[in-house]
Amino acid sequence: MHATLPSAKALVPFVSVENMMRLVHHVGIEPFLKQLSDYIEQDFRRWESFDKTPRLASHSRDGVIELMPTSDGTNYSFKYVNGHPKNTRNGFQTVAAFGLLADVLNGYPILLTEMTLLTALRTAATSAMAARHLAPRNATTMALIGNGAQAEFQALAMKAVVGINHVRLYDIDPAATAKAARNLEGKGLQVTSCRTADAAIEGSQIITTCTADKQNAQILTDNLVGSGVHINAIGGDCPGKTELHPDILLRADTYVEYPPQTRIEGEIQQMSEDFPVTELWKVIAGLDSGRRDDRQITLFDSVGFAIEDFSALRYVRDKLSGTPFSQELDIVADPDDPRDLFGMLERAR
């Protein structure tokens, strides 16, 4: 077989897990989260320019595999992602993902990257971006209920974007809480490990729930939630999976990403089809109100949406410029004559 070197058109930058970690440390994790939240906010401000569709989900008894596509007319992106809550019992991640960014002009991919780490980073950046608009002013303390793979990212994003300085941890598995507390040592946060959800919520202005069980659960009950707090509910992300008692939703003003998706997958799947919600992009664009007073309970019913992944891919592509944190993969066939793909194959003998 004759060796043929791929042309520049055939090569696509690829960011491996190793290089993603190097990029994050090159930028710094808190600056990375802060800058990423700004990119997400920029794209929320131009929400109407994007194609929007609920993610394409293939559900099984053990979890879900999803594709999340969108386009702003200039670039197209998609993410492949799974959600398998029992995976950790067998040494696998609950979530694994990769994503692609392409040029709409010619359809060619311009970035391929791991998105297991990047999804954790963009989920935390989105939470903090929402809290910047919905949480009480000068919030200093957050309760973090569910201390799995997402926990530390959430805490550091809230620190970098909102300015919290104290995180109160609780998980039904004490080992998860110990892990999160250990990882957050030396990160500029006061960390309190709690034995109950009630204790974690005490004195917290922001309450984040990020549990993984695929079931209708009530991680927070109505009696635990006082006035004036912001609830960041990110664990419920598929049909049949919730974290909040419905009475909480009746007292809160609920903000969502994309209602057709959230009504299927979010906390509001428990409510009637006409349950009132506000689209978060309208708050960010100044078209609707966010937090109005000190007694209001705000709820960000977050399930994750493709535009956030688009923002993350756009951010990573920009940050890669001038760095060694990618490698070029020969992905796209590029014959000398675009009409002679077979000839290219034959000449490779």
Side-chain angles (χ1 to χ4, degrees), residues 140-147 154-155 158 164 166-170 192 194 196-210 220 230-232:
T140 60
T141 304
M142 73 176 292
L144 191 47
I145 301 174
N147 302 154
Q154 289 285 327
M158 290 294 182
I164 68 155
H166 185 190
V167 59
R168 300 177 65 83
L169 304 174
Y170 170 71
T192 302
C194 303
T196 65
D198 308 41
I201 291 167
E202 186 176 344
S204 299
Q205 297 91 33
I206 299 172
I207 303 170
T208 293
T209 57
C210 52
L220 282 187
H230 171 60
I231 303 170
N232 179 43

Side-chain angles (χ1 to χ4, degrees), residues 75-328:
N75 292 125
Y76 167 91
S77 75
F78 78 83
K79 181 174 77 174
Y80 166 98
V81 62
N82 78 300
H84 284 65
K86 298 178 182 177
N87 265 5
T88 53
R89 300 176 188 176
N90 299 310
F92 293 99
Q93 287 285 303
T94 299
V95 173
F98 68 88
L100 181 141
L101 190 67
D103 188 337
V104 169
L105 181 65
N106 54 31
Y108 272 45
I110 54 177
L111 176 68
L112 176 66
T113 179
E114 82 80 37
M115 287 196 77
T116 306
L117 275 165
L118 189 55
T119 293
L121 289 156
R122 78 87 163 128
T123 300
T126 302
S127 294
M129 183 270 293
R132 181 159 52 193
H133 294 273
L134 301 177
R137 285 189 178 183
N138 303 316
T140 60
T141 304
M142 73 176 292
L144 191 47
I145 301 174
N147 302 154
Q150 177 65 209
E152 298 89 341
F153 296 96
Q154 289 285 327
L156 292 175
M158 290 294 182
K159 175 177 181 285
V161 176
V162 180
I164 68 155
N165 55 35
H166 185 190
V167 59
R168 300 177 65 83
L169 304 174
Y170 170 71
D171 194 290
I172 57 172
D173 180 4
T177 299
K179 176 271 304 179
R182 183 173 61 251
N183 285 341
L184 289 171
E185 284 181 8
K187 296 293 193 291
L189 285 167
Q190 178 186 346
V191 179
T192 302
S193 299
C194 303
R195 295 185 177 182
T196 65
D198 308 41
I201 291 167
E202 186 176 344
S204 299
Q205 297 91 33
I206 299 172
I207 303 170
T208 293
T209 57
C210 52
T211 59
D213 281 346
K214 188 178 179 182
Q215 61 183 355
N216 285 115
Q218 293 183 3
I219 307 303
L220 282 187
T221 53
D222 188 39
N223 63 300
L224 296 180
V225 178
S227 64
V229 300
H230 171 60
I231 303 170
N232 179 43
I234 64 172
D237 57 3
C238 66
K241 183 182 176 188
T242 58
E243 297 180 310
L244 308 183
H245 191 286
D247 285 351
I248 297 173
L249 279 74
L250 295 174
R251 295 171 53 213
D253 291 314
T254 301
Y255 300 82
V256 303
E257 291 138 320
Y258 183 57
Q261 181 172 298
T262 311
R263 291 193 188 277
I264 296 170
E265 301 178 346
E267 295 300 324
I268 60 173
Q269 68 183 271
Q270 308 174 74
M271 315 305 283
S272 64
E273 291 184 4
D274 61 352
F275 180 77
V277 298
T278 300
E279 293 181 64
L280 183 61
W281 76 267
K282 292 183 178 179
V283 175
I284 293 167
L287 302 177
D288 216 319
S289 61
R291 175 163 290 275
R292 298 183 303 273
D293 58 63
D294 293 339
R295 296 190 57 79
Q296 181 187 14
I297 299 172
T298 53
L299 165 62
F300 180 37
D301 187 3
S302 176
V303 297
F305 193 64
I307 292 173
E308 297 152 17
D309 299 312
F310 180 99
S311 305
L313 289 163
R314 187 168 69 86
Y315 172 71
V316 167
R317 185 167 188 255
D318 286 352
K319 297 306 288 188
L320 282 176
S321 179
T323 77
F325 305 125
S326 65
Q327 61 196 94
E328 292 187 323

